[in-house]
């Protein structure tokens, strides 16, 4: 028995851990429920934005001009809200392990703690990328259909917009999972993610003080908004993307350090 | 083989495990005993690198657990049957576990049938009874066919058939040459299962000996003799008083502590004392254990007198 099993078993620690994390992600119902929630939310938000545009363009104030909108913008706008659901998807892969105690099994199976953090991130990254693109596509199509003649269905613009949203969803999700390794509780992690991805940048971004605008642009949520809207002030989209990558990588490194030091 | 050298764990001011030196050898079942809070679980967690020691080392075959590639093939352990996601099915839990160490997934169905859970593999682990949870945990320990097995209170919640099954499983794993390290509160069970006993109290090693030696060393193991003649009884009593820990005169005889039956018989022969009965009354492991740990019970209950 023993010889057969030892001979057949293969793979490095990290690649095995990645396979295990993939199995874990799709074998709990909460992952699927989260996707259902995001699908509903993305569709509804897209419809709302589409109707909103159609309404605005048919009820113009004096001096305003009706404009078509590329449908990808509906997707990017919806992501402002949907990102919270996607962040929850990512952070739950970590916090649910602490809530259920299964983290002790995980660390027993993969005792090299850095590999655990890396494996979860390696599974999440492509999933988040596709997840973000799919939800943005849903919102874009829903918005495009409800906006009617005001929708601009240019495919090239759409592809660029969707890829940008996919990138942002990946960065925001990985950032949330990194925070989850540090905070451990679902409520705590969700609070941190909600504040840094949505609330604080939104509040500061509307300030007229230059220093506050800069602060918002340096936070992950603000950098995300600037990146998705293609804003060039105060930073170029490329720099905003770099800031997002830095937040995601920083959170994961911090998470790995904390996990390594803490008893399971 | 598990080797502990100066293994120590401190939490703030309290020392949970206090410089433990220990070797747990293959080919036999080593029982791990101690009162609640003695540091048993903490020791096992340090062996698996779940907790890091404040000082000292815990090695599995000469290396820390975390340094073994595919560590589940080295050590299979059931520490906490609740350490799983309650909404994941039993089979998916084991599939994730198998993949984490490159174990073929076909092995999952094998171990599920070994522990008798074939009928409920799709059931969510959270709906399992305590006993089924233990069986799932044991399936996990066996999954990668490890050389070393550790079980923390494996018979918790098992029915008598289950208890017996676990006992036979441990015996057969040890007979295959594996290292089996089991903690338990059930002394009667340990007496039947273990070859070697490690007893700790307040984080310190109290005893590391064969089960037979632990029982023999207990003051509760006594030799009783029945002597019909009162004068001869007094002669033997005075002679034994010189070498026994304790000699107690009872009706028509003596109860001797600390001298083996052979020696009592030889002395009686030398002194020409006629015996009607010579019998060793062995302590149970439970009695021996209570005596060993009397001073180190962390959460003791005062007995009203």
């Amino acid at each position: 028995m023993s010889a057969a099993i030892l001979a057949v078993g293969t793979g490095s620690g990290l690649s095995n851990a990645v396979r295990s994390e993939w199995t874990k992600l799709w074998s709990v119902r909460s992952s699927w429920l989260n996707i259902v929630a995001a699908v509903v939310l993305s569709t509804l938000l897209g419809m709302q934005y589409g109707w909103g545009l159609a309404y605005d363009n048919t009820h113009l104030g004096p001096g305003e001009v009706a404009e078509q909108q590329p449908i990808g913008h509906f997707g990017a706008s919806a992501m402002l809200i949907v990102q919270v659901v996607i962040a929850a998807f990512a952070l739950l892969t970590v916090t649910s392990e602490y809530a259920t105690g299964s983290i002790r099994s995980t660390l027993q199976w993969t005792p090299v703690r850095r590999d655990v953090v890396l494996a979860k991130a390696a599974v999440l990254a492509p999933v988040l990328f596709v997840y973000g693109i799919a939800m943005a596509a849903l919102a874009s199509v829903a918005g495009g259909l409800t906006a009617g003649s005001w929708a601009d269905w240019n495919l090239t613009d759409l592809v660029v917009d969707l890829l940008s949203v996919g990138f942002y969803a990946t960065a925001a999700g990985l950032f949330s999972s990194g925070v989850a390794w540090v905070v451990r509780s679902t409520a705590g992690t969700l609070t941190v993610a909600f504040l840094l991805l949505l609330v604080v940048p939104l509040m500061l971004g509307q300030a007229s003080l230059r220093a506050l605008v800069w602060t918002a642009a340096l936070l992950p949520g603000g950098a995300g908004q600037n990146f998705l809207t293609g804003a060039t002030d105060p930073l170029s989209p490329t720099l905003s993307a770099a800031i997002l990558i830095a937040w995601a990588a920083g959170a994961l490194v911090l998470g790995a350090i904390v996990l390594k030091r803490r008893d399971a | 083989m598990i080797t502990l050298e100066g293994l120590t764990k401190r939490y703030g001011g309290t020392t949970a495990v206090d410089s433990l030196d220990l070797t747990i050898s293959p080919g036999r079942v080593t029982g791990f005993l101690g009162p609640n809070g003695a540091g048993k679980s903490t020791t096992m967690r340090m062996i698996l690198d779940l907790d890091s020691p404040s000082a000292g080392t815990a090695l599995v075959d000469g290396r820390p657990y975390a340094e073994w590639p595919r560590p589940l093939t080295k050590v299979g352990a059931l520490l906490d049957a609740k350490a799983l996601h309650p909404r994941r099915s039993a089979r998916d839990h084991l599939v994730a576990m198998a993949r984490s160490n490159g174990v073929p997934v076909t092995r999952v169905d094998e171990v599920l049938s070994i522990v008798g859970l074939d009928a409920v593999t799709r059931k969510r682990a959270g709906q399992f009874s305590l006993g089924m949870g233990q069986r799932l945990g044991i399936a996990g320990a066996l999954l990668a066919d490890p050389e070393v097995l550790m079980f923390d209170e494996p018979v918790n919640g098992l029915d008598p058939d289950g208890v017996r099954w676990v006992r036979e499983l441990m015996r057969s794993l040890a007979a295959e040459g594996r290292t089996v390290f089991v903690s338990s509160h059930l002394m009667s069970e340990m007496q039947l299962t273990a070859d070697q006993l490690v007893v700790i109290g307040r984080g310190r090693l109290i005893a590391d000996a064969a089960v037979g030696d632990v029982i023999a060393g207990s003051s509760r193991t006594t030799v009783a003799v029945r002597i019909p003649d009162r004068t001869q009884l007094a002669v033997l009593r005075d002679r034994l008083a010189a070498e026994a820990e304790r000699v107690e005169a009872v009706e028509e005889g003596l109860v001797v502590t600390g001298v083996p039956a052979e020696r009592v018989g030889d002395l009686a022969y030398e002194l020409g004392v006629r015996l009607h009965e010579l019998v060793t009354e062995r302590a149970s492991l439970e009695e021996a254990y209570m005596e060993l740990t009397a001073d180190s019970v962390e959460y003791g209950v005062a007995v009203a007198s």
Side-chain angles (χ1 to χ4, degrees), chain B residues 70-132:
Chain B
R70 306 174 59 228
L72 292 179
T73 61
K74 207 71 196 168
V75 184
L78 163 63
L79 291 200
D80 176 4
K82 294 277 162 224
L84 42 76
H85 199 301
R87 284 181 296 282
R88 190 172 284 131
S89 76
R91 188 169 187 282
D92 284 341
H93 171 76
L94 291 178
V95 168
M97 185 176 189
R99 294 204 166 129
S100 74
N101 274 249
V103 174
V105 173
T106 49
R107 175 71 179 155
V108 168
D109 299 305
E110 259 175 63
V111 289
L112 278 167
S113 103
I114 290 174
V115 302
L117 288 178
D118 348 34
V120 290
T121 57
R122 300 278 163 195
K123 195 168 170 158
R124 290 192 209 158
Q127 294 169 335
F128 275 20
S129 68
L130 190 56
M132 287 159 79

Side-chain angles (χ1 to χ4, degrees), chain B residues 53-305:
Chain B
S54 310
T57 53
L59 303 179
V60 179
D61 281 356
R63 269 209 245 177
Y65 176 74
E67 284 180 18
W68 284 106
R70 306 174 59 228
L72 292 179
T73 61
K74 207 71 196 168
V75 184
L78 163 63
L79 291 200
D80 176 4
K82 294 277 162 224
L84 42 76
H85 199 301
R87 284 181 296 282
R88 190 172 284 131
S89 76
R91 188 169 187 282
D92 284 341
H93 171 76
L94 291 178
V95 168
M97 185 176 189
R99 294 204 166 129
S100 74
N101 274 249
V103 174
V105 173
T106 49
R107 175 71 179 155
V108 168
D109 299 305
E110 259 175 63
V111 289
L112 278 167
S113 103
I114 290 174
V115 302
L117 288 178
D118 348 34
V120 290
T121 57
R122 300 278 163 195
K123 195 168 170 158
R124 290 192 209 158
Q127 294 169 335
F128 275 20
S129 68
L130 190 56
M132 287 159 79
Q134 289 301 99
R135 284 173 186 268
L136 179 57
I138 292 170
L142 298 174
L143 185 68
D145 200 23
E147 294 158 42
V148 177
L149 289 122
M150 286 206 296
F151 301 95
D152 198 0
E153 303 285 346
V155 297
N156 245 354
L158 289 179
D159 54 21
D161 274 351
V163 171
R164 190 196 169 118
W165 168 71
V166 168
R167 184 195 309 149
E168 283 163 5
L169 178 71
M170 311 248 155
R171 301 287 335 150
S172 69
L173 289 168
E176 289 166 19
R178 301 174 209 257
T179 305
V180 183
F181 192 38
V182 198
S183 82
S184 180
H185 284 121
L186 298 177
M187 293 307 140
S188 49
E189 194 44 46
M190 276 290 111
Q191 193 164 1
L192 292 170
T193 312
D195 306 296
Q196 183 80 5
L197 284 185
V198 170
V199 184
I200 64 171
R202 293 186 193 277
R204 285 170 181 276
L205 188 66
I206 295 176
D208 174 15
V211 175
D213 293 346
V214 170
I215 293 173
S218 168
S219 69
R220 303 289 178 90
T221 296
T222 55
V223 175
V225 282
R226 198 148 62 82
I227 301 161
D229 186 296
R230 288 190 159 277
T231 331
Q232 290 186 351
L233 186 148
V235 170
L236 185 63
R237 184 190 62 207
D238 294 345
R239 180 67 183 79
L240 279 167
E243 50 191 277
E245 273 170 41
R246 201 172 119 108
V247 183
E248 198 183 342
V250 293
E251 202 178 334
E252 284 212 336
L254 300 169
V255 176
V256 187
T257 309
V259 179
E262 295 82 351
R263 178 73 184 142
V264 175
D266 288 353
L267 282 174
Y269 178 75
E270 252 173 51
L271 297 167
V273 172
R274 193 156 52 97
L275 302 184
H276 276 184
E277 188 173 295
L278 173 64
V279 59
T280 303
E281 282 167 2
R282 266 175 240 288
S284 67
L285 180 59
E286 180 158 2
E287 289 168 325
Y289 166 80
M290 293 302 235
E291 201 178 320
L292 280 172
T293 57
D295 296 333
S296 57
V297 176
E298 187 103 349
Y299 306 106
V301 182
V303 179
S305 51

Side-chain angles (χ1 to χ4, degrees), chain A residues 54-96:
Chain A
Y55 182 87
D56 288 347
N57 280 347
T58 49
H59 297 74
L60 292 169
E64 287 178 341
V65 184
E67 270 182 81
Q68 271 202 332
Q69 205 178 90
I71 58 165
H73 287 193
F74 300 125
S77 305
M79 194 44 56
L80 183 68
I81 309 294
V82 178
Q83 65 169 331
V84 178
V85 181
I86 294 183
F89 178 88
L91 66 88
L92 273 171
T93 63
V94 177
T95 59
S96 76

Side-chain angles (χ1 to χ4, degrees), chain A residues 1-3 5-6 8-11 13 16-17 19-20 23-25 27-29 96 100-102 104-105 107-113 261-264, chain B residues 9 45 48-52 65-66 70-73 77 80 82-88 92-93 95-97 99-104 107 124 145 178:
Chain A
M1 176 164 86
S2 129
I5 289 172
L6 293 177
V8 175
T10 47
N16 284 332
R19 272 188 276 273
S20 177
T23 307
K24 279 155 65 180
L25 178 62
S27 58
V28 287
R29 206 167 54 179
S96 76
T100 59
S102 55
R104 294 195 297 279
S105 289
L107 294 179
Q108 188 186 325
W109 307 348
T110 310
V112 179
R113 309 234 167 144
R261 293 207 177 150
R262 201 152 39 195
D263 283 343
Chain B
K9 183 68 180 178
R45 293 163 57 77
L48 293 177
D49 283 335
L50 288 170
D51 288 0
S52 55
Y65 176 74
R70 306 174 59 228
L72 292 179
T73 61
D80 176 4
K82 294 277 162 224
L84 42 76
H85 199 301
R87 284 181 296 282
R88 190 172 284 131
D92 284 341
H93 171 76
V95 168
M97 185 176 189
R99 294 204 166 129
S100 74
N101 274 249
V103 174
R107 175 71 179 155
R124 290 192 209 158
D145 200 23
R178 301 174 209 257

